[in-house]
C-alpha cells in the first residue's frame, strides 16, 4: 500500500474529514486529496503534522500491514 492510502485509512478510522485535516495542517483539501491518491507525496514536515493530527506515528504511513 502507498503512504497516501495508509493516511486515508487512518483518517477515515479516526473520523476526520479531508477538509478538517487540511485546515489543521495548513494545506488545501485538494492537497490532501492528491496525497491520498498518491499523485503527490507529502513532505516530511507535513507527514509529521498529519501524524500529530491523526494521533499516530509517521511509521504507520509506510507500514504495509496498516
Amino acid at each position: 500500500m502507498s503512504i497516501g492510502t495508509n493516511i486515508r485509512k487512518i483518517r477515515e478510522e479516526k473520523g476526520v474529514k479531508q477538509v478538517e485535516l487540511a485546515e489543521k495542517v495548513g494545506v488545501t483539501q485538494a492537497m490532501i486529496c492528491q496525497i491520498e491518491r498518491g499523485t503527490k507525496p507529502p513532505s516530511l514536515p507535513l507527514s509529521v503534522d498529519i501524524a500529530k493530527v491523526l494521533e499516530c506515528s509517521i511509521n504507520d504511513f509506510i507500514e504495509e500491514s496498516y
Side-chain angles (χ1 to χ4, degrees):
M1 276 194 217
S2 72
I3 291 172
T5 301
N6 287 339
I7 290 173
R8 186 186 79 241
K9 283 186 170 190
I10 296 166
R11 178 183 59 74
E12 289 174 346
E13 287 175 3
K14 303 280 183 170
V16 178
K17 296 185 183 298
Q18 277 186 347
V19 68
E20 293 174 68
L21 178 58
E23 288 173 0
K24 290 181 179 180
V25 299
V27 298
T28 64
Q29 181 184 2
M31 173 67 119
I32 298 297
C33 186
Q34 290 174 335
I35 290 168
E36 291 183 356
R37 281 192 321 232
T39 58
K40 189 166 261 188
S43 66
L44 184 56
L46 181 56
S47 296
V48 170
D49 290 343
I50 291 171
K52 285 179 185 175
V53 170
L54 297 178
E55 299 175 336
C56 65
S57 166
I58 60 171
N59 289 331
D60 294 332
F61 300 159
I62 57 175
E63 290 179 359
E64 292 290 323
S65 62
Y66 196 89

